[in-house]
């Protein structure tokens, strides 16, 4: 008889977004007094930049001609030279030198964050921030690294609380030393971005203990404040302890187009083995790359026109973030994030739980948010709003909330 991976049965079953969707559906069925405005889910809404669409169309046309047709991408890291050079150039802009064979192009940072576990033993101790992007937790649970879910937490994970008191950046753990440490900056869900000094404490810790930092910088393009690092490799010593994940999803509206990249430095070794070589072996075996058309689209993000156009889109979202932040502050709420990220992390009113506040905003303002508790126990007492909506709808949503509170 076939045995299934029992670890899957331990998963609490994609609780957060299905539960939100259930509540929204139930409320919609009662004929809400106003149209619903959704500031809940983290997906972009603006179309692809014209430079990107043009590059895709041209590449599509090339695929339709025998002389320019392409089959499997045989390049290192599944990255065509043109895209690799563009990525290297963007790293150079923040003073970071990445070698040719340290870049691996993929269909998403979500898959890479999940798949990276393949190259690490199931015995490693995993640390995650609390609140956290659920992918890090669930993929480790599937692999058998998380233990059992006790209704609130996984028994074998090290939770690093990120609270207003620590500026939503985790303190070094006191007890068990984690081997794999997930850090996401700018952060989903809290919308805060780590400083170089903050990252340095973890880089030094990881180097001292032989741990690996899995650094998710999917929102790097939203950084507006000077001095905030765009890459963990801006921090001295990160080359021997960190893997970095980046994506075109939020930076250039590729959530439906699919392209990302992961940097695995060649200086990264554990037990005398190159992690770059292991990841290369893993990808070469289980992955056949991102389409030529999409890699051309991604390349176009780095051209002067592409940069200007995608920057405009990001400015549009960041303006929404400002509107949400200042509106909620005006309504008397304590608000974090929204400056270097498209997420606003708002404290619920005194004594109101995050699901209750979610329900109040849904029923009284017809605005859909995300309850912070869904991202982990330390998210209780917060809600997350996203800046990915339309400008008018966002303003309307904020006005309704201000009026309500
Ligand atoms: C959206 C998001 C990503 C991007 O995932 P893709 O698979 O590249 O679309 C990665 N990390 C976080 C934290 C995200 O919110």
């Amino acid at each position: 008889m076939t045995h299934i991976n029992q670890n899957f049965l331990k998963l609490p079953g994609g609780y957060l977004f299905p539960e939100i969707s259930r509540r929204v559906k139930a409320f919609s069925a009662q004929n809400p007094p106003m149209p619903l405005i959704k500031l809940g889910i983290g997906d972009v809404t603006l179309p692809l930049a014209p430079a990107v669409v043009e590059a895709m169309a041209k590449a599509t046309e090339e695929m339709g001609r025998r002389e320019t047709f392409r089959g499997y991408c045989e390049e290192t890291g599944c990255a065509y030279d043109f895209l690799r050079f563009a990525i290297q150039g963007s790293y150079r802009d923040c003073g970071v030198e990445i070698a040719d064979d340290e870049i691996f192009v993929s269909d998403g940072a979500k898959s890479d964050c999940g798949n990276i576990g393949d190259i690490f033993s199931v015995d490693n101790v995993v640390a995650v921030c609390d609140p956290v992007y659920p992918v890090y937790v669930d993929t480790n649970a599937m692999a058998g690294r998380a233990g059992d879910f006790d209704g609130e937490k996984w028994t074998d994970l090290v939770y690093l609380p990120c609270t207003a008191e620590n500026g939503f950046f985790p303190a070094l753990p006191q007890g068990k030393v984690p081997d794999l440490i997930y850090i996401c900056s700018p952060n989903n869900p809290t919308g805060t971005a780590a400083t170089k000094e903050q990252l340095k404490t973890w880089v030094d810790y990881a180097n001292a203990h032989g741990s690996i930092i899995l650094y998710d910088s999917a929102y790097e393009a939203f950084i507006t404040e000077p001095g905030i690092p765009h890459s963990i490799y801006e921090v001295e010593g990160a080359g021997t302890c960190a893997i970095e994940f980046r994506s075109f999803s939020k930076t250039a509206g590729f959530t439906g187009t699919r392209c990302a990249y992961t940097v695995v430095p060649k200086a990264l070794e554990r037990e005398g083995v190159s992690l770059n070589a292991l990841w290369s072996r893993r990808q070469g075996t289980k992955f056949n790359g991102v389409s030529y058309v999409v890699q051309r689209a991604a390349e176009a993000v780095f051209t002067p026109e592409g940069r200007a156009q995608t920057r405009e889109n990001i400015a549009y979202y960041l303006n929404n973030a400002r509107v949400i932040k200042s509106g909620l502050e005006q309504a008397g709420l304590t608000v974090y994030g929204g400056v270097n990220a498209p997420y606003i992390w708002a404290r619920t009113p005194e004594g109101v739980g995050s699901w209750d506040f979610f329900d109040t905003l849904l029923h009284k303002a017809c605005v859909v948010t995300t309850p912070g508790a869904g991202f982990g126990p330390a998210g209780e007492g917060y809600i997350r709003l996203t800046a990915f909506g339309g400008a008018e709808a966002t303003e309307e949503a904020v006005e309704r909330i201000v009026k309500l509170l």
Side-chain angles (χ1 to χ4, degrees), residues 155-242:
T155 51
D156 292 354
L157 294 184
V158 172
Y159 285 84
L160 308 168
C162 294
T163 61
E165 289 67 43
N166 62 22
F168 301 99
F169 188 78
L172 298 176
Q174 296 302 317
K176 248 195 310 197
V177 174
D179 306 301
L180 297 170
I181 301 151
Y182 289 85
I183 297 179
C184 174
S185 177
N187 190 263
N188 177 10
T190 68
T192 48
T195 64
K196 216 178 251 188
E197 293 68 35
Q198 287 176 321
L199 290 178
K200 183 84 167 88
T201 60
W202 278 98
V203 165
D204 290 346
Y205 177 88
N207 279 324
H209 293 88
S211 312
I212 297 285
I213 296 172
L214 300 168
Y215 191 72
D216 184 345
S217 64
Y219 297 94
E220 160 274 319
F222 289 83
I223 293 172
T224 56
E225 290 182 312
I228 300 286
H230 287 244
S231 163
I232 194 161
Y233 303 120
E234 291 178 54
V235 177
E236 201 195 325
T240 51
C241 68

Side-chain angles (χ1 to χ4, degrees), residues 42 107-111 113 133 136 184 186 188 216 218-219 246-250 254-255 258-260 343 384:
D107 65 333
K110 187 185 201 172
S111 8
C113 285
Y133 179 54
Y136 317 143
C184 174
N188 177 10
D216 184 345
Y219 297 94
R246 281 192 176 186
S247 171
F248 294 94
S249 283
K250 317 298 162 40
F254 274 50
T255 52
R258 313 304 308 143
C259 198
Y343 296 115
R384 189 192 74 173

Side-chain angles (χ1 to χ4, degrees), residues 43 59 108 138 148 174 260:
D43 195 0
D138 289 5
D148 295 298
Q174 296 302 317

